[in-house]
Amino acid sequence: MEEIYAKFVSQKISKTRWRPLPPGSLQTAETFATGSWDNEENYVSLWSIGDFGNLDSDGGFEGDHQLLCDIRHHGDVMDLQFFDQERIVTASSTGCVTVFLHHPNNQTLSVNQQWTTAHYHAGPGSPSYSSAPCTGVVCNNPEIVTVGEDGRINLFRADHKEAVRTIDNADSSTLHAVTFLRTPEILTVNSIGQLKIWDFRQQGNEPSQILSLTGDRVPLHCVDRHPNQQHVVATGGQDGMLSIWDVRQGTMPVSLLKAHEAEMWEVHFHPSNPDHLFTCSEDGSLWHWDASTDVPEKSSLFHQGGRSSTFLSHSISNQANVHQSVISSWLSTDPAKDRIEITSLLPSRSLSVNSLDVLGPCLVCGTDAEAIYVTRHLFS
Amino acid sequence: MEELDGEPAVTVIPGVNSKKNQMCFDWGPGEMLVCETSFSKKEKSEMVPSCPFIYIIRKDVDVYSQILRKLFNESHGIFLGLQRIDEELTGKSRKSQLVRVSKNYRSVIRACMEEMHQVAIAAKDPASGRQFSSQVSILSAMELIWNLCEILFIEVAPAGHLLLHLLDWVRLHVCEVDSLSADVLGSENPSNHGSFWNLPGNTQTLTELELKWQHWHEECERYLQDSTFATNPHLESLLKIMLGDEAALLEQKELLSNWYHFLVTRLLYSNPTVKPIDLHYYAQSSLDLFLGGESSPEPLDNILLAAFEFDIHQVIKECSIALSNWWFVAHLTDLLDHCKLLQSHNLYFGSNMREFLLLEYASGLFAHPSLWQLGVDYFDYCPKLGRVSLELHIERIPLNTEQKALKVLRICEQRQMTEQVRSICKILAMKAVRNNRLGSALSWSIRAKDAAFATLVSDRFLRDYCERGCFSDLDLIDNLGPAMMLSDRLTFLGKYREFHHMYGEKRFADAASLLLSLMTSRIAPRSFWMTLLTDALPLLEQKQVIFSAEQTYELMQCLEDLTSRRPVRGESDIQQLQDEDIETTKVEMLRLALARNLARAIIREGSLEGS
């Protein structure tokens, strides 16, 4: 692991996300957004890593990340997602869901839309109104789905003032994270170790499927879906355990991997190279899980011609291979057969790594030690 | 209590007329609350205080500075690295590690200084610009002091090397005069200078160097005596300077920005192989000569003097007074303690100086809404009072989201602070119950292994069932898993749901025996027995006989148990009478059903199979 840049930014970072690249673009990631937490004044900030510093020998850009713009955010930033190129959706500890708009011409952020009472314990009508933190948000243009500590699921649509659909009391415990499975279906994880699949086409407030951990009902904190295989889902739990699930089969996880020593805050499949998985945890480490089948001779053929083609052709060669290896790389229940290589990416143990994001060869993560780490050479 | 070294500063509270009314205050860990009272200084008191605000007074504003936060965070990492240095290491390798740590701290201070300087230049209004500039000079003074301490206490440079280090030290901090000092220092006899300072890797001993220098010094003196340069007054004064003549040096006072620059230059020319213990003679006289009785020494001067006198405690004491934040003294003292330089003389509450300063620093961090996480690690390395302080502080951190609570709990669990874990989980569980989030409440009680609270939650569920006839949150109860074992009531709840499932799947025999075992094993609460017996009714009324005779006897026993304990009612209102009516009807129906079942069971058991 080379060239990971750290910068101290005077705020504890709760979320970092790369700005998505326009489809079909050949650029590498350049801009990322961060949200802070636990400050008297929290901020959503936009940072850039391109166009500064000198060119290095490879033709890539050096230098650390610079702040482009920021805007005050009420409450902790509990979750943050890019809705599209210009808009960012955030979930707040005050129960508010906000859409920020980035104006590239004068480099400012402004509030585009807000749903202030998205999550609450006692409703706005009642005398003892109390808000509940919104814990997770996921976008699929034009829809936004949010979940919170009140066990509520909201479906919003951009530019609609009210929620399109609300499932009250969807869960009796806290919903920690949400992700889309297929478009009308979402999957939520909660603090009693259950995955629930909800189908918005159906009326009624019951999940269409419930999966849960065997043994202790350890709270699950994060979830991510495999980019190509929509039935494969990875979750991270409070005991640092990584679980891989196949939602088509059975109600229990397919594999359980002992990972971190404390809560796993985020898990991400690499979007273009899904044999690689990344997790970060309260114990201050960030791990890179490499389940790609080891074919050193084959990959050497593709090492010419620049970095981006290397892993692109690597994944093509995987698919051209026996179909089994692609399917079973994460679903394999025999850890001895398909070796998973695990690397720790951060140079030294720090306070909790709260968030990470990967896009192409770039990785960004934020910690409670008020530092942001960026690397542009994940696979070298 | 020692005497005050200076007058305490006065802070005016806006909006409060302190001449008219009295103020009250209360101390917090890092702050003070002040407000106006309705007691006036004159005899009669007014009913309403004129100032309606409560003020928070903070002494330590540095904690809230954006740029200084980076200092706190980066130095936290360095501090942890220092604590983890292998205690086994001794001698040279240990010293080089400690020097590296010291240099790391200093580079962090310099980075902060740089950034603050940039901000000061770019500041829009002059007031904040001045504030930033004064911060820059404070940071610069801190780095100056730390650097000197590094040279004298950590590096422990011997004679010869000592002056080299001091030269670097001055050069680093007097950079604007650097070019000029090069002229003053280097014009005559450059070759002599070059070979003289060829110390690194040089095999010359100190005595050889001294001899060489003596020789050179005598040569210069001879030139002066012979008035070789009498025609050129500049060159003559230059010669005098090179001989270390104080008067000549003082003539160039504008080039020497401060007394320590004067000191080092003087040492360079009069005694370059000065030994560390002789430094303080030169230091004191340099200070006196430089100030020349015109001005009095500033706090910084006193600190540096104390350092030259190798009085570490005085250095730390003066720094504590002069600086508004504990950061500097805490980290410096910790580093010096690792160099085994501080004798452990106890302060009046029993911990040593290093621990005292670290505790103060960490407590200051806990007063900040965000930096408390750094404070935790500092408490960890205070062996006597750290744990106790942490226990007190960590319970008082406001928890507004579950994620923050989880982080605090993780900190407590890693340090086996079970009491704190319990109390925090209980608070969160109560909050959840109040918000009707029974699943969350259960998950908190599982984490704290709090059986009593799990019982409370189960009772809530059962009460809801009795009132509404159905369970809320079936997703939770049906999926309890091993957590069911946490409390009896919870186990009962899980088993009861199992009974419902069996009944739904028409596994009547199993359902029946489960129901019976629930009652006879006494894990069912008494209040629920009636419900259980009522649940037995449909099983009793089935076409086939489900309960055996034995089981029916047991059921009847339970029923009698229940009814015999009921208190005799006296006068009661209509509602109670109606309830009683219902109760009596139920009991009647049960008795009838049980009797019928008993009859059928006896007959069936008494007959042969198949007939």
Side-chain angles (χ1 to χ4, degrees):
Chain A
M1 187 64 250
E2 325 152 18
E3 298 158 28
I4 190 159
Y5 290 102
K7 183 167 180 159
F8 285 86
V9 294
S10 305
Q11 47 185 339
K12 293 203 284 206
I13 303 294
S14 57
K15 287 288 163 187
T16 59
R17 293 282 180 262
W18 287 112
R19 175 150 76 183
L21 296 167
S25 158
L26 290 172
Q27 299 170 295
T28 51
E30 246 185 39
T31 318
F32 63 90
T34 62
S36 76
W37 75 285
D38 213 20
N39 265 338
E40 288 181 321
E41 291 184 359
N42 288 300
Y43 285 88
V44 169
S45 319
L46 215 52
W47 305 76
S48 168
I49 59 170
D51 295 321
F52 296 109
N54 313 306
L55 298 176
D56 70 1
S57 53
D58 273 340
F61 289 111
E62 294 294 340
D64 58 16
H65 28 286
Q66 306 294 329
L67 179 67
L68 284 179
C69 50
D70 59 19
I71 184 169
R72 260 209 73 180
H73 182 266
H74 284 287
D76 296 343
V77 176
M78 307 286 297
D79 202 358
L80 187 152
Q81 293 285 346
F82 271 92
F83 184 72
D84 55 26
Q85 281 289 300
E86 282 98 35
R87 282 180 284 186
I88 303 171
V89 185
T90 65
S92 164
S93 60
T94 59
C96 173
V97 179
T98 316
V99 181
F100 292 98
L101 179 62
H102 175 230
H103 309 272
N105 46 351
N106 59 353
Q107 288 298 3
T108 53
L109 282 165
S110 64
V111 175
N112 183 251
Q113 193 173 7
Q114 215 169 38
W115 295 281
T116 46
T117 51
H119 290 277
Y120 51 89
H121 287 301
S126 89
S128 58
Y129 169 67
S130 70
S131 64
C134 175
T135 52
V137 74
V138 70
C139 314
N140 190 358
N141 208 332
E143 292 176 332
I144 301 171
V145 177
T146 71
V147 294
E149 278 186 23
D150 55 351
R152 178 173 279 113
I153 302 177
N154 288 312
L155 173 63
F156 295 106
R157 213 175 277 261
D159 305 326
H160 278 53
K161 255 182 58 182
E162 299 298 324
V164 167
R165 174 103 185 261
T166 300
I167 304 178
D168 284 326
N169 214 17
D171 201 308
S172 62
S173 64
T174 301
L175 288 167
H176 283 295
V178 63
T179 185
F180 273 102
L181 277 184
R182 286 176 295 259
T183 319
E185 280 187 350
I186 59 165
L187 186 144
T188 61
V189 292
N190 66 11
S191 58
I192 43 179
Q194 294 173 326
L195 278 77
K196 294 186 183 174
I197 300 178
W198 306 83
D199 191 338
F200 282 125
R201 288 168 304 193
Q202 293 174 8
Q203 293 306 311
N205 290 345
E206 295 303 316
S208 56
Q209 198 182 347
I210 300 183
L211 303 93
S212 56
L213 292 168
T214 50
D216 283 325
R217 300 287 194 252
V218 176
L220 294 172
H221 286 296
C222 52
V223 66
D224 195 27
R225 194 203 72 194
H226 193 285
N228 306 330
Q229 300 160 17
Q230 294 178 335
H231 52 272
V232 176
V233 159
T235 62
Q238 200 172 84
D239 52 359
M241 191 96 85
L242 172 69
S243 321
I244 312 283
W245 309 68
D246 182 344
V247 299
R248 295 172 312 189
Q249 316 175 342
T251 56
M252 292 186 321
V254 171
S255 47
L256 289 167
L257 301 158
K258 184 82 183 72
H260 296 278
E261 291 158 14
E263 286 86 351
M264 187 189 298
W265 293 124
E266 284 200 18
V267 61
H268 286 271
F269 283 101
H270 192 285
S272 48
N273 208 356
D275 279 342
H276 297 260
L277 185 91
F278 298 85
T279 59
C280 67
S281 158
E282 176 74 23
D283 68 2
S285 57
L286 196 159
W287 289 8
H288 170 185
W289 306 65
D290 184 351
S292 51
T293 47
D294 209 12
V295 235
E297 324 84 70
K298 254 208 167 69
S299 55
S300 67
L301 286 178
F302 301 106
H303 262 307
Q304 309 140 12
R307 199 164 291 124
S308 50
S309 58
T310 307
F311 57 78
L312 199 59
S313 33
H314 192 66
S315 59
I316 290 175
S317 79
N318 255 347
Q319 283 174 5
N321 268 344
V322 180
H323 213 43
Q324 275 305 109
S325 66
V326 176
I327 295 176
S328 63
S329 58
W330 288 113
L331 296 182
S332 157
T333 45
D334 184 355
K337 231 179 17 171
D338 286 323
R339 268 182 327 113
I340 301 181
E341 201 177 295
I342 306 174
T343 338
S344 175
L345 294 184
L346 290 183
S348 57
R349 282 268 282 263
S350 74
L351 292 179
S352 164
V353 182
N354 291 325
S355 173
L356 74 99
D357 199 16
V358 279
L359 189 61
C362 305
L363 177 139
V364 63
C365 71
T367 69
D368 269 347
E370 307 191 356
I372 300 178
Y373 295 83
V374 175
T375 179
R376 267 169 284 191
H377 308 281
L378 257 187
F379 296 109
S380 56
Chain B
M1 186 71 171
E2 287 187 15
E3 284 178 13
L4 291 173
D5 294 278
E7 283 302 310
V10 176
T11 310
V12 178
I13 312 290
V16 174
N17 187 348
S18 54
K19 291 194 182 46
K20 223 170 68 160
N21 285 342
Q22 292 179 338
M23 291 192 282
C24 64
F25 71 95
D26 195 14
W27 282 110
E31 315 172 318
M32 200 165 105
L33 289 178
V34 166
C35 78
E36 198 184 285
T37 64
S38 39
F39 299 117
S40 83
K41 294 221 174 114
K42 305 192 266 285
E43 280 314 312
K44 67 173 175 65
S45 64
E46 296 173 10
M47 292 313 344
V48 179
S50 43
C51 175
F53 299 120
I54 298 180
Y55 288 91
I56 301 176
I57 304 185
R58 290 175 180 143
K59 177 176 173 259
D60 181 4
V61 292
D62 291 343
V63 181
Y64 290 88
S65 152
Q66 285 295 90
I67 299 173
L68 285 182
R69 267 174 87 150
K70 302 189 196 188
L71 184 70
F72 299 140
N73 274 289
E74 286 206 67
S75 60
H76 167 257
I78 303 173
F79 174 84
L80 283 180
L82 173 60
Q83 309 308 310
R84 291 175 189 152
I85 282 181
D86 193 5
E87 277 302 316
E88 301 285 310
L89 277 177
T90 47
K92 265 200 168 159
S93 52
R94 186 182 170 85
K95 191 171 96 154
S96 62
Q97 282 219 352
L98 291 170
V99 169
R100 200 164 346 128
V101 169
S102 178
K103 287 193 180 349
N104 279 341
Y105 274 124
R106 281 199 296 126
S107 70
V108 169
I109 300 178
R110 287 203 87 88
C112 245
M113 223 161 70
E114 259 309 307
E115 203 180 324
M116 191 96 62
H117 187 61
Q118 299 296 328
V119 173
I121 295 175
K124 295 211 178 73
D125 73 295
S128 65
R130 258 175 285 134
Q131 200 180 11
F132 282 122
S133 297
S134 75
Q135 270 290 10
V136 173
S137 50
I138 293 176
L139 283 171
S140 168
M142 275 165 41
E143 212 255 314
L144 181 76
I145 301 168
W146 195 300
N147 200 346
L148 184 61
C149 290
E150 179 185 312
I151 296 170
L152 297 175
F153 305 135
I154 305 173
E155 185 88 55
V156 195
H161 284 276
L162 178 60
L163 191 57
L164 263 185
H165 284 292
L166 286 176
L167 268 175
D168 282 333
W169 173 63
V170 164
R171 212 171 273 144
L172 203 56
H173 292 96
V174 195
C175 47
E176 63 267 24
V177 228
D178 210 25
S179 44
L180 296 166
S181 60
D183 292 334
V184 174
L185 288 173
S187 43
E188 278 291 311
N189 300 330
S191 55
N192 255 1
H193 273 286
S195 63
F196 190 87
W197 297 116
N198 199 14
L199 285 169
N202 205 317
T203 49
Q204 293 182 31
T205 63
L206 197 62
T207 1
E208 283 173 11
L209 274 168
E210 273 212 50
L211 278 170
K212 266 200 187 172
W213 181 81
Q214 275 293 94
H215 187 78
W216 176 79
H217 190 86
E218 276 161 14
E219 208 179 306
C220 291
E221 266 194 17
R222 232 179 309 122
Y223 285 144
L224 193 64
Q225 303 281 13
D226 298 343
S227 306
T228 326
F229 299 107
T231 46
N232 192 334
H234 279 292
L235 278 177
E236 223 184 58
S237 71
L238 208 55
L239 197 55
K240 282 199 191 145
I241 287 172
M242 290 203 300
L243 283 170
D245 183 59
E246 284 124 22
L249 279 171
L250 279 173
E251 275 167 31
Q252 308 295 325
K253 205 169 163 179
E254 320 83 62
L255 293 173
L256 302 164
S257 45
N258 43 49
W259 66 274
Y260 40 94
H261 188 183
F262 172 56
L263 163 69
V264 174
T265 317
R266 193 177 145 207
L267 283 172
L268 175 65
Y269 291 117
S270 61
N271 190 359
T273 54
V274 62
K275 293 198 266 296
I277 48 170
D278 295 330
L279 264 181
H280 73 278
Y281 295 123
Y282 289 99
Q284 185 66 63
S285 60
S286 303
L287 176 62
D288 295 333
L289 281 171
F290 195 83
L291 293 177
E294 293 165 359
S295 40
S296 56
E298 299 198 336
L300 176 61
D301 301 328
N302 289 329
I303 295 171
L304 293 174
L305 257 186
F308 282 122
E309 287 165 15
F310 283 82
D311 189 349
I312 299 182
H313 288 107
Q314 186 66 16
V315 170
I316 293 171
K317 181 186 165 206
E318 300 257 355
C319 288
S320 309
I321 296 170
L323 295 167
S324 60
N325 181 283
W326 292 106
W327 178 87
F328 180 77
V329 281
H331 287 87
L332 182 62
T333 311
D334 173 61
L335 181 57
L336 294 175
D337 188 69
H338 271 84
C339 302
K340 312 254 194 291
L341 287 171
L342 299 174
Q343 314 126 312
S344 56
H345 71 255
N346 284 337
L347 297 176
Y348 59 90
F349 57 80
S351 64
N352 62 21
M353 175 146 65
R354 167 190 173 270
E355 182 159 326
F356 170 74
L357 292 172
L358 284 177
L359 287 172
E360 288 294 316
Y361 176 62
S363 304
L365 287 176
F366 263 92
H368 189 273
S370 194
L371 292 174
W372 57 271
Q373 273 187 286
L374 301 179
V376 172
D377 286 314
Y378 286 99
F379 279 133
D380 280 346
Y381 289 100
C382 293
K384 282 217 183 72
L385 293 173
R387 190 187 163 90
V388 168
S389 309
L390 182 59
E391 282 175 6
L392 289 173
H393 275 110
I394 204 121
E395 273 190 314
R396 284 157 177 79
I397 296 176
L399 302 172
N400 56 336
T401 64
E402 281 198 5
Q403 197 163 9
K404 186 166 178 183
L406 287 170
K407 287 178 187 269
V408 171
L409 282 172
R410 182 62 59 181
I411 291 171
C412 294
E413 279 174 3
Q414 278 171 345
R415 291 155 181 80
Q416 281 94 42
M417 295 182 174
T418 41
E419 265 314 302
Q420 279 68 33
V421 170
R422 257 183 185 244
S423 92
I424 293 173
C425 281
K426 210 164 246 167
I427 294 172
L428 292 166
M430 267 323 284
K431 251 200 245 176
V433 165
R434 225 177 285 134
N435 287 324
N436 216 23
R437 310 258 87 240
L438 295 176
S440 294
L442 195 60
S443 130
W444 290 119
S445 41
I446 290 172
R447 176 133 188 198
K449 303 199 196 351
D450 191 345
F453 212 89
T455 308
L456 202 148
V457 174
S458 326
D459 275 337
R460 255 300 270 277
F461 277 122
L462 292 171
R463 211 181 57 203
D464 283 348
Y465 177 78
C466 286
E467 281 169 17
R468 284 189 276 140
C470 65
F471 276 113
S472 59
D473 311 320
L474 277 176
D475 60 335
L476 169 65
I477 309 171
D478 283 346
N479 290 293
L480 281 174
M484 226 168 32
M485 301 304 151
L486 185 60
S487 102
D488 275 348
R489 197 58 50 82
L490 205 52
T491 317
F492 166 70
L493 194 60
K495 291 282 173 200
Y496 187 57
R497 275 299 299 166
E498 215 178 299
F499 163 72
H500 277 219
H501 277 145
M502 287 184 191
Y503 190 90
E505 290 166 15
K506 299 215 184 337
R507 291 158 50 197
F508 295 126
D510 295 328
S513 39
L514 180 58
L515 186 63
L516 196 58
S517 65
L518 283 177
M519 282 202 288
T520 51
S521 64
R522 298 289 191 261
I523 63 168
R526 277 198 91 81
S527 50
F528 212 69
W529 278 14
M530 206 55 211
T531 319
L532 284 178
L533 286 168
T534 322
D535 281 336
L537 258 179
L539 289 173
L540 293 165
E541 300 291 330
Q542 288 279 330
K543 271 232 184 71
Q544 76 263 52
V545 178
I546 300 171
F547 284 103
S548 70
E550 194 64 45
Q551 290 174 325
T552 318
Y553 280 129
E554 288 184 33
L555 278 174
M556 290 163 101
Q557 172 87 50
C558 295
L559 183 58
E560 290 315 309
D561 234 347
L562 199 59
T563 49
S564 65
R565 302 252 185 104
R566 207 155 280 165
V568 179
R569 290 265 161 75
E571 289 292 319
S572 37
D573 62 356
I574 297 182
Q575 183 59 40
Q576 270 188 305
L577 280 172
Q578 280 185 346
D579 285 345
E580 264 200 47
D581 261 346
I582 297 172
E583 281 303 303
T584 332
T585 322
K586 266 202 225 165
V587 172
E588 292 290 331
M589 280 178 62
L590 273 170
R591 289 225 174 89
L592 185 59
L594 283 168
R596 281 215 288 255
N597 192 67
L598 187 59
R600 290 193 295 161
I602 293 176
I603 293 175
R604 191 190 71 165
E605 282 163 28
S607 342
L608 290 168
E609 294 284 27
S611 56

